[in-house]
């Protein structure tokens, strides 16, 4: 689950433009949907599930990179917030619409909305006009050389002393630049390096990736334990479990708010607020045990607060990953090559999300069985505390805002 996003992120940065791999991901999703609709045995359904995972890796990774290409690093937070809102809406409405179609239409009719949405998505994707990427990164001139050159009036002798690389840079001068600026030799870009290793060596990026993993690990951990716990401890039914999961999902409609805050103040403030809220809400769950008065109401409130904390951490951590790439490119022009490393960065973030989604139910399930509900919720609070400290110490704030595109 974790490797496909990294692979397709690497592929997305090697191919100029996002159109072709994105459309390929949609075609894989279409093949998966058809396989689910016509599959009548386990091998076909398993293959459909694998195709669905690959399509999610492609579309999810390149979709975030496309957001960055469209809105830039400075405004991507709010856009990601709306993306999270759309995903949450689909997760909430999908089962309800599917249930109605199955009840009144049949099994095959359940897949008709998916086919329609795929057609609409392909059409919209073809209509998008992608921004052209520069062949070389924007480089800064040597200020000291420029000052000495202008004052000494040696414009006629500069060109004779330039090497072939500098002469090429002169020929690539931008229209409208002052004559003395066009005559200056431009700094050569740094040789492209392995982007994945550079990103993983960045403390800011590592904190964003680990934070994404922990948030998804905790959120998905409830999938494997919550329904069983309330049934065994309080005799509550499946409808109560559905209401509790809904309480965790609804706060995702607030996602544009932390996204907008991230654009204005950096990722540190909203992410710290999210983890700060997660600490008491998750830790206090350990007090909801057999014999507790109004357990359903207390769980509803605490899980709603936990869902709000998840909403305040998701988008800021993904934006932080993009800003780390922008900061590295600004400090070391050309280090990621002509196409940058945004797809690879989002691929690593999505790999952390996938790993958390996979390991979360195992972690929560084993913790509850071996140590109990109280120890499980306490461990979740401790993980949130660790992340709060890391975010406050490492994650970029307003002073690290990067707006270069």
């Amino acid at each position: 689950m974790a490797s496909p996003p990294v692979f397709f992120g690497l592929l997305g940065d090697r191919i100029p433009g996002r159109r072709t791999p994105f459309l390929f991901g949609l075609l894989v999703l279409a093949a998966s949907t058809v396989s689910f609709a016509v599959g009548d045995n386990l091998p076909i359904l398993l293959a459909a599930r694998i195709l669905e995972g690959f399509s999610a890796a492609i579309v999810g990774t390149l979709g975030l990179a496309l957001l960055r290409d469209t809105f830039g690093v400075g405004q991507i937070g709010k856009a990601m917030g709306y993306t999270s809102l759309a995903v949450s809406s689909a997760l909430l409405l999908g089962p309800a619409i599917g249930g109605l179609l199955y009840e009144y239409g049949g099994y095959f009719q359940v897949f008709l909305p998916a086919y329609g949405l795929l057609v609409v998505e392909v059409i919209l994707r073809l209509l998008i006009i992608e921004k052209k990427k520069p062949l070389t990164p924007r480089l800064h001139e040597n200020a000291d050389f420029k000052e000495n050159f202008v004052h000494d009036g040696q414009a006629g002798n500069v060109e004779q002393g330039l090497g072939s690389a500098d002469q090429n840079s002169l020929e690539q001068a931008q229209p409208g630049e002052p004559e003395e600026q066009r005559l200056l030799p431009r700094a050569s870009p740094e040789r492209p390096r392995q982007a994945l290793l550079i990103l993983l060596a960045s403390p800011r990026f590592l904190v964003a990736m680990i934070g994404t993993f922990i948030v998804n690990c905790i959120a998905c951990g409830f999938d494997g334990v919550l329904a069983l716990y309330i049934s065994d401890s309080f005799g509550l039914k499946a409808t109560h479990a559905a209401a509790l999961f809904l309480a965790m999902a609804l706060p995702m409609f607030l996602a544009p708010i932390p996204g907008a805050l991230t654009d204005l103040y950096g990722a540190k403030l909203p992410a710290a607020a999210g983890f700060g809220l997660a600490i008491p809400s998750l830790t206090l769950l350990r007090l909801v045990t057999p014999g507790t008065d109004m357990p359903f109401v207390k769980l509803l409130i605490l899980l709603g607060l936990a869902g709000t904390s998840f909403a305040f951490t998701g988008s800021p951590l993904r934006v932080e990953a993009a800003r780390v790439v922008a900061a590295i490119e600004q400090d070391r022009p050309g280090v990621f090559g002509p196409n940058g490393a945004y797809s690879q960065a989002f691929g690593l973030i999505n790999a952390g999300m996938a790993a958390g989604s996979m390991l979360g139910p195992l972690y929560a399930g084993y913790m509850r069985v071996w140590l109990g509900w109280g120890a499980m919720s306490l461990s979740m609070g401790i993980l949130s505390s660790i992340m709060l400290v890391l975010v406050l110490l490492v994650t970029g704030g307003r002073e690290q805002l990067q707006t270069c595109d």
Side-chain angles (χ1 to χ4, degrees), residues 43 111 183 216 247 308 365:
F111 298 93
L183 292 174
N216 281 268
T308 304

Side-chain angles (χ1 to χ4, degrees), residues 15-312:
I15 300 176
R18 317 289 186 192
R19 181 190 304 273
T20 301
F22 198 92
L23 288 175
F24 175 72
L26 293 177
L27 292 177
V28 174
L29 180 58
S32 170
T33 306
V34 172
S35 300
F36 273 121
V38 302
D40 56 359
N41 56 65
L42 183 59
I44 294 180
L45 295 177
L46 182 60
R49 187 64 171 170
I50 294 174
L51 288 175
E52 183 186 33
F54 273 96
S55 67
I58 301 171
V59 175
T61 299
L62 298 180
L64 294 177
L66 182 62
L67 281 180
R68 184 267 160 193
D69 295 342
T70 304
F71 294 96
V73 178
Q75 299 178 351
I76 193 175
K78 193 173 182 180
M80 284 191 177
Y82 281 111
T83 303
S84 299
L85 189 153
V87 172
S88 301
S89 301
L91 292 175
L92 290 175
L93 297 177
I97 296 174
L100 291 173
L101 291 174
Y102 181 78
E103 180 71 21
Y104 296 103
Y107 179 76
F108 183 76
Q109 281 71 18
V110 172
F111 298 93
L112 294 180
Y115 298 142
L117 290 174
L118 280 169
V119 172
V120 172
E121 176 61 27
V122 170
I123 294 174
L124 292 176
R125 185 64 191 91
L126 291 173
L127 292 176
I128 291 179
I129 301 176
E130 293 187 279
K131 294 182 178 180
K132 298 294 184 181
K133 296 181 180 180
L135 295 178
T136 55
R138 180 72 176 173
L139 302 177
H140 299 283
E141 294 83 3
N142 188 308
D144 295 333
F145 179 84
K146 177 179 179 180
E147 182 178 359
N148 294 333
F149 161 74
V150 174
H151 288 172
D152 293 343
Q154 298 175 351
N157 299 326
V158 170
E159 189 170 348
Q160 298 177 0
L162 295 177
S164 60
D166 293 324
Q167 183 65 35
N168 291 337
S169 68
L170 289 177
E171 295 173 358
Q172 297 173 0
Q174 299 295 324
E177 286 184 325
E179 181 178 355
E180 65 272 12
Q181 184 171 334
R182 293 199 302 269
L183 292 174
L184 290 175
R186 300 174 185 267
S188 299
E190 187 171 341
R191 182 180 180 181
R193 307 285 181 84
Q194 177 53 260
L196 297 179
L197 297 179
I198 295 175
L199 292 174
L200 292 176
S202 167
R204 286 177 60 187
F205 188 88
L206 274 180
V207 168
M209 187 175 178
I210 294 172
T212 303
F213 166 78
I214 289 180
V215 168
N216 281 268
C217 189
I218 293 174
C220 294
F222 287 107
D223 293 346
V225 299
L226 184 58
L228 292 174
Y229 178 71
I230 64 173
S231 176
D232 296 342
S233 301
F234 311 110
L236 298 177
K237 300 179 181 179
T239 52
H240 294 91
L244 293 176
F245 282 115
L246 185 64
M248 282 195 295
L250 282 176
M252 289 304 299
F253 284 90
L254 300 175
I257 297 177
L261 291 175
T262 303
D263 290 337
L264 293 174
Y265 304 106
K268 178 179 292 187
L269 175 62
F275 286 115
L277 180 59
I279 296 171
S281 59
L282 294 172
T283 304
L284 290 175
L285 285 172
R286 66 192 305 268
L287 302 180
V288 185
T289 56
T292 302
D293 294 332
M294 298 186 297
F296 176 73
V297 174
K298 293 178 179 179
L299 286 173
L300 198 69
I301 295 173
L302 292 175
L303 291 174
L305 293 175
T308 304
S309 72
F310 301 153
F312 268 75

Side-chain angles (χ1 to χ4, degrees), residues 73 204 262-269 319-320 322-324 326-328 330-331 391-404:
V73 178
R204 286 177 60 187
T262 303
D263 290 337
L264 293 174
Y265 304 106
K268 178 179 292 187
L269 175 62
V319 175
E320 175 73 356
R323 285 181 174 158
V324 170
I328 293 175
Q330 189 176 60
D331 292 339
V391 165
L392 291 175
L393 293 178
V394 179
T395 300
R398 190 170 187 175
E399 63 279 5
Q400 283 89 22
L401 284 179
Q402 302 290 335
T403 56
C404 54

